[in-house]
Amino acid sequence: METSFALIGKGYVIVAADTTSARSIVKMKNDEDKIKTVSPHLLMAYSGEPGDTVQFAEYIERNLRLYQIRNIYPLRPSAAASWIRRSLAESLRSRNPYSVNLLVGGYDTSSHEPKLYWIDYLGTVSEVPFAAHGYGAYFGLSLLDRYHDPEAPLEEGLATLKRCIEEVSKRLVVSPEKYKVKVVDKDGVREVEL
Amino acid sequence: MARRYDSRTTIFSPEGRLYQIEYAMEAISHAGTVLGVLAKDGVVLAAEKKVTGKLLDLSGVKEGGYGGSGEKIFLLNSNVIGGVAGLTADANSLVNYARSAAQRHLLAYNEDMPVELLAQKLCDLKQGYTQFGGLRPFGVSILYAGHDPHYQFQLYHSDPSGNYSGWKATCIGANNGTAQSLLKQEYKDDIVVKDAIGLVLRTMSKTMDSTTLSSEKLEFAVLTLDEETKTPKAKVYRPSEIDALLQSEGLIKKDEDAEMRST
């Protein structure tokens, strides 16, 4: 089942999400990218109701882009997370709310800090050093509690992520087979292989 | 002939000018002077008050509020101070608009509105009044002294046409030419707030009509960073604080009674 992880290290945030697209009990696809680059230094991993996720992610992506075009500089990660939270909270109180869970990871180019926000479909936002959504969270969070180090270099961060992913594959009945991993730091966004 | 194009803001004259905008700018160059200086660790604003007099009740100014007498210097947001020159009534309406805009930004993004964005927002409004429906433009120029994480300390100026620009030191209102050339001579790129305060007050005393400075004719504000929290700290001075400041800068008028006694 859907799983996503994210963690902060020294000057970077790693965001990982599985790549399966499923309908009912059937896997339709296993190379779906569920991490959107919403601005030059901001990543957003989304999971939840299949149609909602893509629709909402595109809405966020276009609006953040519009803000950047209008206002010279892009929204900082904290401001973007607040705005995304508000969008979800407003949607929740509408007739047809989005059911989307998000991990928003970014690098703040004005304070030079990596930032990570955990957001759920109820419009909860919390700034965290590491985060997870989906069934994988039940296995990964304890490992992250034990092994996460906010000052770790990228290799160590990726190793910690790998531990989580391996634990999920080992213990979860319906574990995803593949993950996409992206990193955001002062140079922007890039994809990495585990 | 100019009259045909005088009365409407929305119509160009044959020479390609918008007279009402030019008149608005002219109105501002007779208004009380507002002066701003950008320093390395803060921004300083000073303004000349025009509405004064023995019978004016200023008791509210001395105690209530956040400082300032509500004529020239306003707190627009916790990170921006505005100094206005021109029609006070127009200015009040713009200050109100700016405060709302800043709070809307805070609600949507949970951060203080970046200074340039706020200046832009007001300029959008001002520009609208130069174009639509036979309305009079705002007869107000504004200096914005602010801080945000994007560009740290900033000083902007906006005029009735809706243009805005960033400055290291600038002046609007009466005698702005004199003040600007004084500032040009004295300004140093690595100036600190302490020296900027002196520079502002000295320039102010040279440009104002009255020979002596006192809290009766002056409004004063400084924006710095709080040392502990590293968040912007806006201080709009109260009359008593202005007098104390002038005293310490050696610019206050000498006590006449004392002078008389000594002679």
Side-chain angles (χ1 to χ4, degrees), chain B residues 18 24 66 85 89 114 164 178 181 196 206:
Chain B
L18 293 168
Y66 54 84
Y164 77 94
T178 337
S181 56
K206 281 178 197 161

Side-chain angles (χ1 to χ4, degrees), chain A residues 173-191:
Chain A
V173 183
V174 278
S175 63
E177 56 196 288
K178 267 173 63 195
Y179 287 83
K180 201 173 258 295
V181 184
K182 293 185 185 177
V183 173
V184 56
D185 58 16
K186 65 176 179 5
D187 304 317
V189 170
R190 64 180 186 279
E191 195 178 328

Side-chain angles (χ1 to χ4, degrees), chain A residues 134-146:
Chain A
Y135 282 117
Y138 297 108
F139 307 91
L141 283 179
S142 52
L143 282 164
L144 285 163
D145 264 332
R146 174 71 183 75

Side-chain angles (χ1 to χ4, degrees), chain A residues 15 25 36-37 53 180:
Chain A
V15 181
I25 56 165
K36 242 189 172 46
T37 305
T53 52
K180 201 173 258 295

